[in-house]
Structure formats: structure tokens, C-alpha cells
Amino acid sequence: MRMTDTFIKPMHPEGRKFVAIFAVITLVLFAIEDVLGWIGVGLTVWCYYFFRDPERVTPDAPGLVISPADGVVSLIEPAVPPRELGLPEEALTRVSVFMSVFNCHVNRAPVAGKVEKIAYKPGKFLNASLDKASEDNERNSLVIRMEDDRILTVTQIAGLVARRIVSFTQEGAVLDRGERFGLIRFGSRLDIYLPEGVEPSVKIGQTMIAGETVIADLSK
């Protein structure tokens, strides 16, 4: 690996306009005061890294559920999937991955399958690390039907700073495991509802890498 590859990462196209805005503001700040300009440089670099979209090596063993987001496991608990999806009112194991403003925010499909349903729900912008954020915050949920006919639900949740959930997919689309399906701008959370009887292989506080870290094994 070249030294430059360590620091220079591909940027998702969604971030180009924001980096451009930060850069223009930085030039204005330099015209006012050099110290303010250098603060602008730091913020521009942060914005670039926020929208970084590095390549990931997704495990190809059958039956694995991989993390859809970079971040830290903040909650593992039984919960009913978002009601707007129209799924049975039965509690499933929910694994929540909290993303800070320093994490990569491109979201990846935890399993391969067909996007059976997408449901968006407007809401509040509470701290995404709180349990009630799953119920009260703005969210976008996907139901993915796998080859064995089981379903897995993944929900993008806006946070305290986040103000926009972006989806790259649509109902009827077929996703590969690890394929990019969306992002959330500026801090947020992903909830994964595992199929009935499937136990997570991660713990609260564990660091996740989107597209790589295994959350559960459906074959067990």
C-alpha cells in the first residue's frame, strides 16, 4: 500500500458539493483573518473525510450478516421492527450501531437479497445513541428478503446533527452483501433486526467496520 493511500481516500459523490461549500467559506475566512482561514481548512478536511468511501473486503462465507455501518455497537436488545413496514408485531433481536461525526457514513447491505419494502418516517432529531431514537427520530427502513426466504430489516436513523437520510436503492432492487445502499449526513445510527432465533456475535462497545465486521451467522 502506498503512503498516500493511508491518508487519501475516495470520496462519495454525495459529498462533493459540501466540500466545495466548505472550501469557498474557507477562502472568505482567509480574507478576514488567517487564523479563521486555517480553522476553515481543518473543517474542510473533516468534511472530506466524513464523506470518504473506502473500498471494503466483504466476507463471502454463506450465512453471514455484516455491519451496515462504521461505528460502535450501542444497543443489543429485543425490539419490534418499525411499524410502518407492516411486519408482525413480534420482538426481534436489534443490534444498533452508532456513528459519530468522525465515522465513514456510507451504509452497506448487511445481507444479499431483494429489497422487498422501503418505508420512510419523518421524526425528531434526538441523540442517536439514545434508545428512544429508534422510535422518535426520522428514519428510513429496508426489508431485505434473502435467498432462503427469511427477511432482515435495517433502519437508517437520523441523529442530533444529522439532517438528511440518503437512499441509493429502491423497492425491487437486488443487493449484494456489502453493497452501498445509502448514507446519513453528519452523525446517526443504524438498527439491524435479526431474523427470529439468530443470536448476534458482537457485544456492546465493539467497533464495527461497514461491509466487513460480522454481526451474526444465520447458519448457526
Side-chain angles (χ1 to χ4, degrees):
M1 178 183 289
R2 295 175 301 175
M3 181 64 71
T4 54
D5 294 337
T6 303
F7 302 101
I8 301 177
K9 303 293 184 182
M11 183 176 66
H12 194 277
E14 182 72 20
R16 292 171 183 167
K17 58 185 176 183
F18 292 96
V19 173
I21 291 171
F22 273 69
V24 170
I25 292 174
T26 296
L27 292 176
V28 174
L29 292 176
F30 266 119
I32 299 172
E33 172 64 50
D34 283 355
V35 173
L36 294 177
W38 285 112
I39 292 174
V41 169
L43 291 174
T44 302
V45 171
W46 166 79
C47 185
Y48 158 71
Y49 270 93
F50 178 88
F51 287 103
R52 66 192 182 277
D53 186 16
E55 292 299 323
R56 297 286 165 81
V57 180
T58 302
D60 58 5
L64 298 181
V65 179
I66 57 97
S67 179
D70 284 12
V72 175
V73 177
S74 59
L75 292 168
I76 300 176
E77 60 187 1
V80 176
R83 289 171 173 79
E84 61 269 20
L85 290 172
L87 298 176
E89 297 275 323
E90 298 175 359
L92 300 172
T93 299
R94 181 177 69 197
V95 179
S96 299
V97 179
F98 174 73
M99 298 182 288
S100 77
V101 293
F102 299 106
N103 289 123
C104 173
H105 274 58
V106 176
N107 305 142
R108 297 170 181 262
V111 294
K114 182 178 181 180
V115 180
E116 191 165 89
K117 187 168 185 177
I118 299 177
Y120 169 79
K121 179 181 178 295
K124 301 177 181 178
F125 297 96
L126 304 174
N127 187 330
S129 65
L130 300 176
D131 180 33
K132 61 181 180 179
S134 292
E135 191 65 36
D136 296 340
N137 282 21
E138 175 183 325
R139 63 183 183 239
N140 188 59
S141 302
L142 283 71
V143 175
I144 302 174
R145 186 168 294 278
M146 295 173 282
E147 192 174 47
D148 63 4
D149 210 37
R150 285 189 289 181
I151 64 170
L152 182 143
T153 301
V154 58
T155 301
Q156 299 168 287
I157 301 173
L160 187 64
V161 183
R163 284 298 183 270
R164 178 72 194 277
I165 296 174
V166 182
S167 178
F168 308 146
T169 190
Q170 58 187 358
E171 291 182 359
V174 177
L175 300 176
D176 291 328
R177 185 195 303 162
E179 182 177 344
R180 300 163 178 83
F181 75 87
L183 63 80
I184 315 175
R185 292 208 289 258
F186 307 118
S188 40
R189 170 173 146 191
L190 269 286
D191 284 350
I192 305 94
Y193 295 83
L194 299 173
E196 184 178 0
V198 176
E199 294 295 325
S201 56
V202 295
K203 297 180 180 179
I204 292 177
Q206 185 173 339
T207 299
M208 300 285 101
I209 299 176
E212 294 188 359
T213 307
V214 176
I215 286 182
D217 187 345
L218 300 174
S219 64
K220 292 185 178 180

